[in-house]
Amino acid sequence: MKVSINSVNAAYQQLLAEGYLYSEERKGFFVEQIETFHAGRHPASLQLEEELLETDEKKDGWISFSHMSVDTAHFPFKTWFRCEQKAAASHTVELGEMTHPQGVYKVRQTIARFIALTRGVKCHPEQIVISAGTQPLIHTIQDLLPESAVYAMEEPGYSRIYQLLKNAGKQVVTIELDHKGMRIGDIHSLNPDVLFVTPSHQFPTGIIMPVSRRIQLLNWVSDGENRYIVEDDYDSEFKYGSDTIPALQSLDRSEKVIYIGTFSKSLLPGLRISYMVLPQKLLKQYRKRHHSSIQSSSVMTQFALQELIESGEYQKHIKKMNQIYEEKRTRLIGSLEKTFAGRVNIKGESAGLHFVAEFETDRPEEEVLERARENRVEVYGMNRFILQKKTKTNGPVSLVLGFAKIGMDQIDDGVTKLYEAVYG
């Protein structure tokens, strides 16, 4: 057959490796007895069901008021790449090993010092758990708390966490807000075990919880043995017109607040770095249950983040972005007030990367959003964040307007298109 011995031998070895042949010493090679496939189609001929199909939807030319995005145009990519290079050069050993389930200890030390300085959070590095995003942290918290725990969420609130809890089979109640945040009377009457709150900038309404309500929540949680508060401090870096308000955890005297922070808003969502601070009682539970867990956040990214913070570049970036976001926010509010001429009410605009704009119109929210999409405007309505009470009522349409992603030169055009969607 004019085939070399090496080629024949390689073919036999491949057939052996795949299980088509077996060998017996001093006898030779033999063909395995292989069953035929049962009825069915070859995978290559399978068609993906229509409901599972995805499209790579690019929104080129769209104007975005998304609350989920950040301004990538001003991100210091060169500085970040330098931090990654330095991390790679300085931590070759660590990058080749499995790191601690809670994250690199030196990185946790840096985060602990930083949040103590900027948010007043009191913790040791050992209490910090780093993760690739907030949702895995919520999964972990569920695992540390009793199976029968009742969770209470703000209404309106963060629908992703609500759905995550419901999918896990947890009992979830919602508590409506007053001008100070989650209603304390409803907390006492419903008597949940765990509160999820966003006190520094309530999502999505933007309410900043005053110290009087914070103390009420802390008194409530300290009165119960297995009660906890989960504080989601998702965009606390950005404050306008006043200094940053310390975290709720900074006032906690009974170690009942689980603090969650993220770098998604201050840096890039795609970096996937979030963290939580566990009270010592729950940390003991974590060490028992998760000592063999694998750290989900990139070790390279953790070291790069440490370098960014320790070098002072992170603080410099936050200061710069706070100025840029304040300019965008001021420009957007001014454009809304000018264009809508007294028919818009702005709420929750003093912090974070979004606020709520309330419009007096007879047009339902669904129609407003559909008209906005037709004008290639990305925007979300308040109904998206109503967790349980889905009853439709006549009244103002409330839109959650993010201003991080939109360019300054797009604001007036975007507001004009919003006007067309609401009244046109």
Side-chain angles (χ1 to χ4, degrees):
M1 296 179 68
K2 298 182 180 180
V3 179
S4 73
I5 292 176
N6 287 341
S7 296
V8 172
N9 183 59
Y12 269 78
Q13 295 305 317
Q14 185 64 31
L15 289 168
L16 280 169
E18 294 187 29
Y20 289 101
L21 301 182
Y22 67 92
S23 65
E24 292 186 6
E25 192 173 355
R26 297 185 181 181
K27 290 185 178 180
F29 295 99
F30 300 88
V31 177
E32 286 277 7
Q33 294 298 315
I34 300 173
E35 294 184 22
T36 58
F37 285 105
H38 294 170
R41 292 177 295 170
H42 192 276
S45 66
L46 290 175
Q47 294 293 320
L48 191 65
E49 295 180 28
E50 188 173 351
E51 64 185 74
L52 300 177
L53 290 172
E54 298 180 33
T55 57
D56 186 12
E57 185 181 1
K58 294 183 179 180
K59 293 193 172 181
D60 295 336
W62 281 59
I63 295 174
S64 178
F65 290 106
S66 171
H67 59 281
M68 296 178 279
S69 305
V70 300
D71 186 338
T72 57
H74 292 91
F75 184 78
F77 283 102
K78 290 182 179 180
T79 301
W80 177 260
F81 294 148
R82 283 199 300 270
C83 290
E84 284 189 325
Q85 288 178 334
K86 189 168 183 179
S90 304
H91 302 286
T92 52
V93 174
E94 294 96 324
L95 290 170
E97 299 173 343
M98 296 292 287
T99 190
H100 193 282
Q102 292 176 230
V104 178
Y105 185 77
K106 291 179 180 178
V107 179
R108 286 184 277 142
Q109 282 182 312
T110 296
I111 292 174
R113 287 194 296 267
F114 185 74
I115 60 178
L117 180 66
T118 60
R119 305 296 296 124
V121 172
K122 302 170 297 220
C123 72
H124 299 280
E126 288 82 356
Q127 293 175 261
I128 293 177
V129 179
I130 298 173
S131 175
T134 299
Q135 288 193 351
L137 296 176
I138 302 300
H139 279 293
T140 302
I141 290 170
Q142 292 177 84
D143 186 53
L144 301 179
L145 298 176
E147 189 71 27
S148 60
V150 178
Y151 297 80
M153 293 196 64
E154 299 162 321
E155 181 73 275
Y158 193 16
S159 56
R160 293 182 192 272
I161 292 179
Y162 174 78
Q163 200 57 54
L164 185 154
L165 292 170
K166 295 293 287 185
N167 290 345
K170 303 301 180 183
Q171 184 178 347
V172 188
V173 298
T174 62
I175 296 178
E176 293 189 2
L177 311 173
D178 58 25
H179 66 285
K180 292 184 178 181
M182 191 179 274
R183 292 178 177 174
I184 191 67
D186 291 350
I187 294 173
H188 285 291
S189 61
L190 290 171
N191 195 33
D193 301 296
V194 186
L195 300 182
F196 276 88
V197 294
T198 49
S200 294
H201 188 228
Q202 198 279 328
F203 184 83
T205 67
I207 295 170
I208 297 176
M209 186 180 291
V211 67
S212 58
R213 181 60 50 85
R214 293 174 185 237
I215 293 173
Q216 287 177 320
L217 294 187
L218 292 171
N219 285 339
W220 171 84
V221 77
S222 67
D223 288 341
E225 179 64 27
N226 290 313
R227 291 176 180 172
Y228 287 96
I229 295 174
V230 180
E231 177 183 11
D232 186 356
D233 207 24
Y234 67 99
D235 68 356
S236 60
E237 296 87 357
F238 305 108
K239 194 82 170 56
Y240 316 109
S242 63
D243 289 335
T244 301
I245 298 172
L248 177 68
Q249 195 266 8
S250 69
L251 300 172
D252 181 22
R253 299 183 178 184
S254 57
E255 280 204 278
K256 289 296 191 72
V257 175
I258 304 167
Y259 178 85
I260 294 180
T262 181
F263 293 95
S264 290
K265 297 292 187 182
S266 58
L267 294 176
L268 297 172
L271 293 179
R272 311 308 304 141
I273 298 189
S274 296
Y275 60 93
M276 66 179 171
V277 177
L278 287 174
Q280 292 186 54
K281 181 179 178 180
L282 293 182
L283 179 60
K284 292 176 183 178
Q285 286 284 96
Y286 179 92
R287 295 279 176 85
K288 288 179 183 178
R289 297 192 181 199
H290 295 275
H291 61 88
S292 60
S293 296
I294 296 176
Q295 169 57 214
S296 61
S297 184
S298 161
V299 175
M300 172 72 84
T301 304
Q302 290 182 48
F303 280 125
L305 173 66
Q306 181 191 20
E307 176 61 29
L308 193 72
I309 295 174
E310 296 287 358
S311 66
E313 292 295 331
Y314 178 74
Q315 298 89 318
K316 187 187 299 183
H317 173 65
I318 294 299
K319 184 177 181 180
K320 174 185 174 182
M321 295 312 300
N322 205 83
Q323 293 173 345
I324 290 171
Y325 287 143
E326 184 165 12
E327 289 174 7
K328 288 186 179 184
R329 179 197 70 118
T330 302
R331 174 77 174 270
L332 177 56
I333 291 173
S335 185
L336 285 166
E337 291 176 343
K338 179 181 178 182
T339 303
F340 285 87
R343 291 198 285 180
V344 61
N345 184 23
I346 308 295
K347 298 179 178 180
E349 74 278 16
S350 58
L353 301 181
H354 76 271
F355 56 76
V356 176
E358 191 177 83
F359 304 96
E360 289 290 344
T361 178
D362 295 329
R363 190 168 287 167
E365 181 186 292
E366 294 83 356
E367 185 178 344
V368 170
L369 295 178
E370 181 58 33
R371 286 172 173 261
R373 282 190 290 271
E374 290 172 359
N375 281 332
R376 305 179 78 184
V377 173
E378 182 183 17
V379 66
Y380 299 92
M382 186 61 74
N383 285 337
R384 178 187 177 95
F385 311 104
I386 302 298
L387 305 180
Q388 288 185 344
K389 300 184 178 181
K390 298 292 185 180
T391 55
K392 295 182 180 179
T393 58
N394 294 326
V397 168
S398 294
L399 302 181
V400 178
L401 300 184
F403 49 85
K405 186 176 182 180
I406 193 169
M408 288 288 283
D409 58 344
Q410 294 179 309
I411 289 176
D412 290 340
D413 187 26
V415 170
T416 299
K417 290 182 176 181
L418 278 182
Y419 185 89
E420 292 171 2
V422 177
Y423 296 117

